Amino acid sequence: MKPFLGLLFISLFVSCSMSDDAGPTLPTETEAEAFARNQEEIEAYLEANTIIAQTTSSGLHYTITEEGTGESPAANATVKVKFKGYFLNKTLFNPTTTADFNLSNVITGFSEGIRLMKTGGKATLFLPARLGYGVYGSQGGIPPNTALIFDVELLEIVD
């Protein structure tokens, strides 16, 4: 009986001492598995919504919804954009925001997509997780390995 009580005490101690905020959750799938799944999810979304998109070699899907008349920004340019972000189920995670930022300081797919645009243009970007917040997601409420959509308007190239 004593070994059983000791085991019970240890299991209660361990379970009570662990907190829910012990750090990031480990991913349940590899980056390659998540990428393949994200590509299928994005393609299904595009088909279900009758959207014709182009795809880059990195896996970014995009549509230019309004051609701009200005120049395209360089990879290290500072730009002013208006954008909103949402999941494939159309749940908004970032309401429409206007911001200035350097393209070298944002997620890969956002930077890549904006460089495909011209000043004054609008686009919708469909990012697999590896071009977004990856296997760990973000503390801002984006789960791990989640594909994202951004509606973007390139207002100006600041420098």
Side-chain angles (χ1 to χ4, degrees):
M1 183 69 165
K2 282 187 178 183
F4 174 73
L5 289 175
L7 197 55
L8 179 62
F9 176 77
I10 290 171
S11 67
L12 286 173
F13 178 76
V14 170
S15 66
C16 291
S17 67
M18 297 186 76
S19 70
D20 289 338
D21 60 351
T25 305
L26 294 176
T28 57
E29 60 188 343
T30 67
E31 182 180 316
E33 291 168 337
F35 179 72
R37 180 179 50 77
N38 286 164
Q39 292 295 50
E40 289 175 9
E41 292 168 341
I42 291 169
E43 289 167 11
Y45 179 92
L46 295 171
E47 185 176 329
N49 291 282
T50 58
I51 298 169
I52 298 171
Q54 296 181 38
T55 307
T56 67
S57 62
S58 71
L60 170 72
H61 296 265
Y62 70 98
T63 61
I64 302 294
T65 55
E66 190 174 312
E67 218 30 77
T69 57
E71 295 184 29
S72 296
N76 62 348
T78 298
V79 294
K80 181 175 196 163
V81 297
K82 184 176 181 180
F83 67 96
K84 74 176 179 178
Y86 47 102
F87 301 113
L88 294 177
N89 67 5
K90 300 185 182 182
T91 300
L92 194 65
F93 65 83
N94 193 110
T96 301
T97 305
T98 301
D100 292 17
F101 49 77
N102 188 287
L103 290 177
S104 64
N105 295 329
V106 295
I107 56 176
T108 305
F110 204 66
S111 175
E112 180 183 354
I114 291 172
R115 289 185 320 225
L116 297 169
M117 301 171 65
K118 295 179 180 176
T119 305
K122 296 180 181 180
T124 301
L125 312 176
F126 304 88
L127 284 63
R130 77 174 182 192
L131 300 179
Y133 293 95
V135 297
Y136 293 107
S138 80
Q139 292 180 355
I142 298 173
N145 292 325
T146 302
L148 306 173
I149 303 172
F150 288 96
D151 290 331
V152 183
E153 181 178 359
L154 178 56
L155 300 173
E156 69 178 285
I157 300 171
V158 178
D159 67 1

